[in-house]
Amino acid sequence: MVLHIKNMVCDRCQMIVRQQLENLGFTVKQVALGSAEITSEPDEEQMQLISAALKVPGFELINKETDKTVEAIKNAVIELVHHTDLSELNISFSDLIAKRVGKDYAHLSRLFSNAQDTTIERFIIEQKVEKIKELMEYGELNLNEISYQMGYSSSAHLSTQFKSITGLTPSGFKSSGKATRKPIDKI
């Protein structure tokens, strides 16, 4: 059985979910962003135990189909933005998301906007801005290199999107001393 899990956005999240399920006595086949597959079909009482165990570290079981789809979109975006070299993408985000989720992008876009009160495009930009903050914090790349790595056409385009989200330019953000990052799952 596949369990769909909200707020599971990184490798450590996957490890924690696996541990929680194994601690409850389940055999875990596979854990991926947003889901875990166990070998047996849990009964209602076991599902409540799973739900309670996952809430402790901040996760939540997803039951509604709409919520599963929205979480799949978020996980696809997070995977692309935070674990892919965007300069090497030869396909649009919309095509990649539609392919990963297995549904028409126009449908996904409407569903996401209705459920989240924001667009997929805005969510992508917010995720990219958090990745840009991370890369700036490391200090290993200049803005032009970050712009290239993040798939922007120019550092000016990056700066415009960065300012639209943070209210500051990248250099203003870095020099302000307010270089705070948001957890990926809180965007």
Side-chain angles (χ1 to χ4, degrees):
M1 170 180 200
V2 176
L3 303 169
H4 297 277
I5 304 165
K6 189 173 183 175
N7 299 329
M8 196 168 130
V9 296
C10 66
D11 293 340
R12 283 185 296 280
C13 296
Q14 292 176 32
M15 183 181 69
I16 291 167
V17 166
R18 177 180 293 277
Q19 287 174 339
Q20 293 291 73
L21 292 170
E22 288 173 348
N23 288 345
L24 291 172
F26 291 98
T27 302
V28 180
K29 283 185 180 178
Q30 178 183 350
V31 179
L33 291 180
S35 67
E37 185 176 359
I38 56 178
T39 56
S40 60
E41 184 83 26
D43 60 27
E44 187 60 36
E45 185 179 324
Q46 289 173 316
M47 285 299 286
Q48 289 175 356
L49 288 172
I50 291 170
S51 181
L54 293 176
K55 279 187 181 176
V56 171
F59 303 111
E60 183 179 334
L61 282 178
I62 304 171
N63 296 318
K64 290 180 10 184
E65 198 57 40
T66 299
D67 293 342
K68 290 177 186 178
T69 304
V70 168
E71 199 65 20
I73 294 167
K74 287 181 172 184
N75 287 330
V77 170
I78 288 167
E79 179 71 28
L80 289 167
V81 171
H82 295 278
H83 305 291
T84 306
D85 184 349
L86 299 178
S87 67
E88 296 178 0
L89 279 183
N90 296 324
I91 186 170
S92 69
F93 266 95
S94 57
D95 289 341
L96 279 167
I97 291 167
K99 184 178 178 182
R100 289 208 179 169
V101 178
K103 295 184 180 176
D104 174 66
Y105 185 78
H107 168 73
L108 294 175
S109 180
R110 282 189 303 277
L111 187 137
F112 190 91
S113 294
N114 289 337
Q116 297 293 298
D117 292 327
T118 189
T119 64
I120 293 175
E121 291 76 16
R122 175 79 178 190
F123 183 73
I124 291 168
I125 293 168
E126 290 172 349
Q127 289 293 333
K128 287 174 104 174
V129 165
E130 288 308 310
K131 182 67 176 181
I132 292 164
K133 289 178 188 178
E134 176 185 339
L135 293 171
M136 288 189 331
E137 196 173 277
Y138 293 155
E140 296 173 0
L141 302 173
N142 65 38
L143 196 58
N144 286 330
E145 293 166 327
I146 291 172
S147 173
Y148 176 76
Q149 183 175 327
M150 295 302 299
Y152 284 97
S153 58
S154 68
S155 57
H157 184 214
L158 178 152
S159 294
T160 300
Q161 285 194 344
F162 191 92
K163 187 171 183 176
S164 76
I165 300 298
T166 65
L168 298 167
T169 64
S171 57
F173 181 82
K174 195 169 184 177
S175 66
S176 73
K178 297 179 184 177
T180 57
R181 293 171 35 204
K182 294 179 186 175
I184 295 170
D185 61 333
K186 301 297 183 208
I187 295 173

